[in-house]
Amino acid sequence: MGLTCNEIEAANRAEAIALLIRAGYRVSRPEADCYGEDLILRTPQGQLLPVQLKARMTVDKKRYGNKSLWMLFPSAKFRANVGRKWFLVPHDKLYKLMKVKHGHASSFDGVWSCATVPKSECLSLTGFEV
């Protein structure tokens, strides 16, 4: 029996929070999920980041653009005994990268997502791994 969407979200959140804490971030969860803020992070340098947690690499200009949101997502779906990377990237920077790469596609209308971060994208995300 597979996990429900809510169970996957809870497991991803727990995994990501544990990694962030180990990396020196302080993690807070807003009482209400407003304006796309699933988490608020205090970086090791003291900067506050509003974060949207996703199960896949996602950009959505209408929902998340121009809001100073950061996207937090894994490199792949969870598989037991297989490690995966997590990325913390400003939405608008990620959007620009995806628009350059996929903006020519007829399906690109300001929204793009990918279940697995392609190796070619990992290079673009250097420096954003948690």
Side-chain angles (χ1 to χ4, degrees):
M1 184 167 109
L3 297 177
T4 67
C5 290
N6 287 340
E7 290 169 328
I8 291 168
E9 182 178 350
N12 280 341
R13 185 174 42 251
E15 179 184 348
I17 288 172
L19 288 170
L20 288 162
I21 290 170
R22 288 183 180 118
Y25 290 83
R26 287 186 14 217
V27 182
S28 300
R29 290 186 54 198
E31 293 295 322
D33 180 353
C34 297
Y35 312 108
E37 296 176 0
D38 292 326
L39 302 169
I40 304 295
L41 304 182
R42 180 177 295 275
T43 69
Q45 297 77 29
Q47 181 184 9
L48 292 176
L49 306 178
V51 175
Q52 171 63 217
L53 176 65
K54 290 293 187 189
R56 55 195 291 143
M57 182 172 62
T58 302
V59 294
D60 186 329
K61 187 172 183 163
K62 186 176 180 182
R63 291 178 74 191
Y64 307 127
N66 301 316
K67 294 183 181 175
S68 300
L69 278 173
W70 289 64
M71 305 305 281
L72 177 62
F73 55 91
S75 59
K77 291 182 180 183
F78 175 80
R79 290 191 341 227
N81 301 318
V82 176
R84 58 186 183 165
K85 298 176 183 179
W86 281 82
F87 297 96
L88 180 62
V89 186
H91 174 273
D92 295 343
K93 179 173 184 64
L94 185 62
Y95 177 81
K96 287 176 186 172
L97 291 169
M98 296 302 101
K99 186 173 181 181
V100 166
K101 187 91 171 177
H102 306 288
H104 64 282
S106 60
S107 60
F108 188 92
D109 61 353
V111 178
W112 188 265
S113 72
C114 187
T116 302
V117 177
K119 289 181 183 180
S120 61
E121 304 299 346
C122 284
L123 189 58
S124 302
L125 300 176
T126 299
F128 292 104
E129 190 176 333
V130 176

